[in-house]
Amino acid sequence: MYLTGKELEKILLESVIQKHGLMLNSKDCAKEIRAVKSTRGLDEDRKKGKNCPEYIEQGKAILYPVQNVVNYHLELSTQTVKVLKHQ
């Protein structure tokens, strides 16, 4: 059985929402997209303006809407598959 892109997106959205809610802080975002507990790499990329999901600044807090995190994760996965196919 293969999942379509939309089915996979729906499953990921529901899973992340159930786990973290609609907005993720930097720590939870780093766990979801990088499988690490440290936010250091994510924060550095965000400050450089590269390679991270779109976010919302709310005072000192940086929040990542779950939809942006899932879309970013799926985009990274697609790029990885393309690279592996060309090797």
Side-chain angles (χ1 to χ4, degrees):
M1 177 177 116
Y2 293 99
L3 296 173
T4 66
K6 286 292 179 189
E7 290 170 329
L8 181 57
E9 181 180 5
K10 182 181 177 191
I11 291 168
L12 286 171
L13 270 172
E14 290 172 358
S15 174
V16 176
I17 289 170
Q18 196 170 42
K19 189 173 180 182
H20 301 289
L22 294 174
M23 301 293 271
L24 285 74
N25 59 29
S26 293
K27 182 178 176 183
D28 293 335
C29 183
K31 281 187 212 176
E32 291 300 323
I33 64 171
R34 297 179 180 211
V36 295
K37 293 181 182 179
S38 171
T39 63
R40 185 176 181 174
L42 179 64
D43 289 341
E44 288 175 3
D45 286 347
R46 179 181 50 78
K47 289 175 185 174
K48 291 176 186 174
K50 66 173 190 174
N51 214 18
C52 72
E54 291 183 39
Y55 57 91
I56 298 169
E57 290 187 59
Q58 198 139 27
K60 287 187 176 183
I62 303 294
L63 299 174
Y64 297 85
V66 68
Q67 181 71 45
N68 295 354
V69 174
V70 168
N71 287 341
Y72 178 80
H73 184 70
L74 289 172
E75 184 180 312
L76 280 182
S77 299
T78 302
Q79 289 174 2
T80 301
V81 169
K82 287 179 183 175
V83 168
L84 291 174
K85 281 184 179 180
H86 288 42
Q87 289 182 351

